Amino acid sequence: DQQVKQNSPSLSVQEGRISILNCDYTNSMFDYFLWYKKYPAEGPTFLISISSIKDKNEDGRFTVFLNKSAKHLSLHIVPSQPGDSAVYFCAASAHNNNDMRFGAGTRLTVKP
Amino acid sequence: ETGVTQSPTHLIKTRGQQVTLRCSSQSGHNTVSWYQQALGQGPQFIFQYYREEENGRGNFPPRFSGLQFPNYSSELNVNALELDDSALYLCASSLAAGTNTEAFFGQGTRLTVV
């Protein structure tokens, strides 16, 4: 059962423009959401998170938006840089639960 | 402060064999989770250990087992390897189980079963 879905396997954006990565979930018990970035031959690196009590969290160029009624979250990167090129995973967990559920990932390519 | 380290980085095993993968958690972290990432997919939760006890398990058969040691390092053992076990195995450590906190991943062990 895929409770976290990233429907776009890839995204290509021009340097300096905005990148928007999307994620949908089905489990209404999820209350904590995270984005991880993964470069080849490395483990996923934590990027940004958001609790279900918020609808927006910002950290520098990265902003995550949460729409609980739609069970949808998105990651905005602005301005996009070539070094942002990586696979981005959306993950979700329920409070006091032990496992994070990951989406399949979106490969972002930022072209110079 | 050291990060999460995993060993070995690559491994080739024959179907039916057993394998042990190792993970050293980040300093100060008492919780370790293991994930399997198949090609083209996101990481899938195998199990979690908190203070040397299993603290949750995903949809994996009993031939996947684990240990956590007093220093919070961990092992993942897989018996009777199958071809479908070929994947990247990721270990992640976090500050405390059952709380909303980010997990920090190691670089993974690439297991190939032939």
Side-chain angles (χ1 to χ4, degrees), chain B residues 9-45:
Chain B
T9 54
H10 295 84
L11 198 53
I12 299 175
K13 287 286 191 177
T14 304
R15 189 172 51 182
Q17 285 188 314
Q18 179 266 343
V19 69
T20 298
L21 310 181
R22 295 179 174 84
C23 172
S24 294
S25 58
Q26 184 159 315
S27 176
H29 287 185
N30 58 19
T31 302
V32 173
S33 302
W34 285 90
Y35 291 83
Q36 180 195 67
Q37 186 180 7
L39 204 59
Q41 297 182 22
Q44 288 197 50
F45 176 72

Coordinates of all heavy atoms in Angstrom, one line a residue, chain B residues 9-45:
Chain B
T9 N 30.2 -1.1 2.1 CA 29.4 -0.2 1.1 C 28.8 -1.0 0.0 O 27.8 -0.6 -0.5 CB 30.4 0.9 0.5 OG1 31.5 0.2 0.0 CG2 30.8 1.8 1.6
H10 N 29.5 -2.1 -0.4 CA 29.0 -2.9 -1.5 C 29.2 -4.4 -1.0 O 30.2 -4.7 -0.3 CB 29.7 -2.7 -2.8 CG 29.5 -1.4 -3.4 ND1 30.2 -0.2 -3.0 CD2 28.6 -0.9 -4.3 CE1 29.8 0.8 -3.7 NE2 28.8 0.4 -4.5
L11 N 28.3 -5.3 -1.5 CA 28.4 -6.7 -1.1 C 27.7 -7.5 -2.2 O 26.6 -7.1 -2.7 CB 27.7 -6.9 0.2 CG 27.9 -8.1 1.1 CD1 29.4 -8.3 1.3 CD2 27.2 -7.9 2.4
I12 N 28.3 -8.6 -2.6 CA 27.7 -9.6 -3.5 C 27.6 -10.9 -2.8 O 28.6 -11.4 -2.2 CB 28.5 -9.7 -4.8 CG1 28.6 -8.4 -5.5 CG2 27.9 -10.8 -5.7 CD1 29.5 -8.4 -6.7
K13 N 26.4 -11.4 -2.8 CA 26.1 -12.7 -2.1 C 25.4 -13.6 -3.1 O 24.7 -13.2 -4.0 CB 25.3 -12.5 -0.9 CG 26.0 -11.9 0.3 CD 27.0 -12.9 0.9 CE 27.5 -12.4 2.2 NZ 28.4 -13.4 2.9
T14 N 25.4 -14.9 -2.8 CA 24.7 -15.9 -3.6 C 23.4 -16.2 -2.9 O 23.3 -16.2 -1.7 CB 25.6 -17.2 -3.7 OG1 26.9 -16.8 -4.2 CG2 24.9 -18.2 -4.6
R15 N 22.4 -16.5 -3.8 CA 21.1 -16.9 -3.3 C 21.2 -18.0 -2.3 O 21.9 -19.0 -2.5 CB 20.2 -17.3 -4.5 CG 18.8 -17.6 -4.1 CD 18.0 -17.8 -5.4 NE 18.6 -18.8 -6.2 CZ 18.1 -19.2 -7.4 NH1 17.0 -18.6 -7.9 NH2 18.6 -20.1 -8.1
G16 N 20.5 -17.9 -1.1 CA 20.5 -18.9 -0.1 C 21.5 -18.6 1.0 O 21.4 -19.1 2.1
Q17 N 22.4 -17.7 0.8 CA 23.4 -17.3 1.8 C 22.8 -16.3 2.8 O 21.6 -15.9 2.7 CB 24.6 -16.6 1.2 CG 25.6 -17.6 0.5 CD 26.9 -16.9 0.0 OE1 26.8 -15.8 -0.6 NE2 28.0 -17.6 0.3
Q18 N 23.6 -16.1 3.8 CA 23.2 -15.1 4.9 C 24.1 -13.9 4.8 O 25.2 -14.0 4.4 CB 23.3 -15.8 6.3 CG 22.9 -15.0 7.5 CD 24.1 -14.3 8.1 OE1 25.3 -14.7 7.8 NE2 23.9 -13.3 8.9
V19 N 23.6 -12.7 5.2 CA 24.4 -11.5 5.2 C 24.1 -10.7 6.5 O 23.0 -10.7 7.1 CB 24.1 -10.7 4.0 CG1 22.7 -10.1 4.0 CG2 25.1 -9.6 3.8
T20 N 25.2 -10.0 6.9 CA 25.1 -9.1 8.1 C 25.6 -7.8 7.6 O 26.7 -7.6 7.1 CB 25.9 -9.6 9.3 OG1 25.4 -10.9 9.7 CG2 25.8 -8.6 10.4
L21 N 24.7 -6.7 7.8 CA 25.1 -5.4 7.5 C 25.2 -4.6 8.8 O 24.4 -4.9 9.8 CB 24.0 -4.7 6.6 CG 23.6 -5.5 5.4 CD1 22.6 -4.7 4.5 CD2 24.8 -5.9 4.5
R22 N 26.1 -3.6 8.9 CA 26.4 -2.9 10.1 C 26.2 -1.4 10.0 O 26.4 -0.9 8.9 CB 27.8 -3.2 10.6 CG 28.0 -4.7 11.0 CD 29.4 -5.1 11.4 NE 29.4 -6.4 11.9 CZ 29.6 -7.5 11.1 NH1 29.7 -7.3 9.8 NH2 29.6 -8.7 11.6
C23 N 25.8 -0.8 11.1 CA 25.5 0.6 11.2 C 26.0 1.2 12.5 O 25.7 0.6 13.6 CB 24.0 0.8 11.0 SG 23.5 2.5 11.2
S24 N 26.7 2.3 12.4 CA 27.0 3.0 13.6 C 26.2 4.3 13.6 O 26.3 5.1 12.6 CB 28.5 3.4 13.6 OG 29.3 2.3 13.7
S25 N 25.4 4.5 14.7 CA 24.5 5.6 14.7 C 25.3 6.9 15.0 O 26.4 6.9 15.5 CB 23.4 5.4 15.7 OG 24.0 5.2 17.0
Q26 N 24.6 8.0 14.7 CA 25.2 9.3 15.0 C 25.3 9.5 16.6 O 24.4 9.0 17.3 CB 24.3 10.4 14.5 CG 24.8 11.8 14.6 CD 24.2 12.8 13.6 OE1 24.1 12.5 12.4 NE2 23.8 13.9 14.1
S27 N 26.3 10.2 17.0 CA 26.6 10.4 18.4 C 25.4 11.0 19.1 O 24.8 11.9 18.6 CB 27.8 11.3 18.5 OG 28.0 11.6 19.9
G28 N 25.0 10.3 20.2 CA 23.8 10.8 21.0 C 22.5 10.3 20.5 O 21.5 10.5 21.2
H29 N 22.4 9.5 19.5 CA 21.2 9.0 19.0 C 21.0 7.6 19.5 O 21.9 6.7 19.4 CB 21.2 8.9 17.4 CG 21.0 10.3 16.8 ND1 20.9 10.4 15.4 CD2 20.9 11.5 17.3 CE1 20.7 11.7 15.2 NE2 20.8 12.4 16.3
N30 N 19.8 7.3 20.1 CA 19.5 6.0 20.6 C 18.6 5.1 19.8 O 18.2 4.0 20.2 CB 19.0 6.1 22.1 CG 17.7 6.9 22.1 OD1 17.1 7.1 21.1 ND2 17.4 7.4 23.3
T31 N 18.2 5.6 18.7 CA 17.2 4.9 17.9 C 17.8 4.7 16.5 O 18.3 5.6 15.9 CB 15.9 5.8 17.8 OG1 15.4 6.0 19.1 CG2 14.9 5.0 16.9
V32 N 17.6 3.5 16.0 CA 18.1 3.1 14.7 C 17.0 2.5 13.9 O 16.4 1.6 14.4 CB 19.3 2.2 14.8 CG1 19.7 1.7 13.4 CG2 20.5 2.9 15.4
S33 N 16.9 2.9 12.7 CA 15.9 2.3 11.7 C 16.6 1.8 10.5 O 17.6 2.4 10.1 CB 14.8 3.3 11.3 OG 14.2 3.8 12.5
W34 N 16.1 0.7 10.0 CA 16.6 0.1 8.7 C 15.6 0.2 7.6 O 14.4 0.0 7.9 CB 17.0 -1.3 8.9 CG 18.3 -1.5 9.7 CD1 18.4 -1.6 11.1 CD2 19.6 -1.6 9.2 NE1 19.7 -1.8 11.4 CE2 20.5 -1.8 10.3 CE3 20.2 -1.5 7.9 CZ2 21.9 -1.9 10.2 CZ3 21.6 -1.6 7.8 CH2 22.4 -1.8 8.9
Y35 N 16.1 0.5 6.4 CA 15.2 0.7 5.3 C 15.8 -0.1 4.1 O 17.0 -0.2 4.0 CB 15.1 2.1 4.9 CG 14.3 3.0 5.8 CD1 14.9 3.5 7.0 CD2 12.9 3.2 5.6 CE1 14.1 4.3 7.9 CE2 12.2 4.0 6.5 CZ 12.8 4.5 7.6 OH 12.1 5.3 8.5
Q36 N 14.9 -0.6 3.3 CA 15.4 -1.2 2.0 C 14.9 -0.3 0.9 O 13.7 0.0 0.8 CB 14.7 -2.6 1.8 CG 15.1 -3.3 0.6 CD 14.2 -4.5 0.3 OE1 13.0 -4.3 0.0 NE2 14.7 -5.7 0.3
Q37 N 15.8 0.0 0.0 CA 15.5 0.8 -1.2 C 15.7 0.1 -2.5 O 16.9 -0.1 -2.8 CB 16.2 2.2 -1.2 CG 15.7 3.1 -2.3 CD 16.4 4.4 -2.4 OE1 17.4 4.7 -1.7 NE2 15.9 5.3 -3.2
A38 N 14.7 -0.4 -3.1 CA 14.9 -1.1 -4.4 C 15.0 0.0 -5.5 O 14.7 1.2 -5.3 CB 13.7 -2.0 -4.7
L39 N 15.5 -0.4 -6.6 CA 15.8 0.5 -7.7 C 14.5 1.2 -8.1 O 13.5 0.6 -8.4 CB 16.4 -0.3 -8.9 CG 17.2 0.5 -9.9 CD1 18.4 1.2 -9.2 CD2 17.7 -0.4 -11.0
G40 N 14.6 2.5 -8.2 CA 13.5 3.3 -8.7 C 12.4 3.5 -7.7 O 11.3 4.0 -8.0
Q41 N 12.6 3.1 -6.4 CA 11.6 3.2 -5.4 C 12.1 4.0 -4.2 O 13.3 4.2 -4.1 CB 11.1 1.9 -4.9 CG 10.4 1.0 -6.0 CD 10.0 -0.3 -5.4 OE1 9.8 -0.5 -4.2 NE2 9.8 -1.3 -6.3
G42 N 11.2 4.4 -3.3 CA 11.6 5.1 -2.1 C 12.0 4.1 -1.1 O 11.7 2.9 -1.2
P43 N 12.7 4.5 0.0 CA 13.0 3.6 1.1 C 11.8 2.9 1.7 O 10.8 3.6 1.9 CB 13.8 4.4 2.0 CG 14.3 5.6 1.2 CD 13.2 5.8 0.2
Q44 N 11.9 1.6 2.0 CA 10.8 1.0 2.7 C 11.3 0.5 4.1 O 12.3 -0.1 4.2 CB 10.3 -0.2 1.9 CG 9.5 0.1 0.7 CD 8.8 -1.0 0.1 OE1 8.0 -1.7 0.9 NE2 8.9 -1.3 -1.1
F45 N 10.5 0.8 5.1 CA 10.8 0.6 6.5 C 10.9 -0.9 6.8 O 9.9 -1.7 6.5 CB 9.8 1.2 7.4 CG 9.9 1.0 8.9 CD1 10.9 1.6 9.6 CD2 9.0 0.2 9.5 CE1 11.1 1.4 10.9 CE2 9.1 0.0 10.9 CZ 10.2 0.6 11.6

